[in-house]
Amino acid sequence: ISSDLKDRLRALSLSPDSPPFTVAEAAKITNTSQKFWRNRIYNREIKYLKIGRSVRIPVIEIVRVVTVIIPFVLDREEVEYV
């Protein structure tokens, strides 16, 4: 893991060794909806773990989404379509 990514994890008070989060926990941490995370899983945009019927999201994927995907989506929303 790069030092930049470790700094971002620290900012979220998470460590790379933290256990994977449920969809509800990931939504709460990132201030997004559960549907946002379920869509990412359904479209295979993020890596996830299946534990029985439960779906878990690794910390590294949460950080990647927060630092890469969400800013990209926000940039696209600011574009004016003519």
Side-chain angles (χ1 to χ4, degrees), residues 25-58:
E25 292 169 337
K28 186 175 180 181
I29 289 169
T30 58
N31 199 27
T32 57
S33 67
Q34 289 186 32
K35 185 175 181 177
F36 173 86
W37 288 100
R38 293 198 186 281
N39 284 339
R40 299 293 172 265
I41 291 167
Y42 179 78
N43 294 325
R44 307 242 190 254
E45 295 174 14
I46 62 171
K47 295 178 183 172
Y48 61 93
L49 305 169
K50 283 279 293 191
I51 303 172
R53 292 173 50 182
S54 177
V55 176
R56 303 292 171 134
I57 304 168

Side-chain angles (χ1 to χ4, degrees), residues 4-16:
D4 185 42
L5 198 50
K6 286 181 183 177
D7 292 340
R8 291 177 183 157
L9 284 170
R10 258 187 250 113
L12 290 171
S13 300
L14 301 173
S15 75

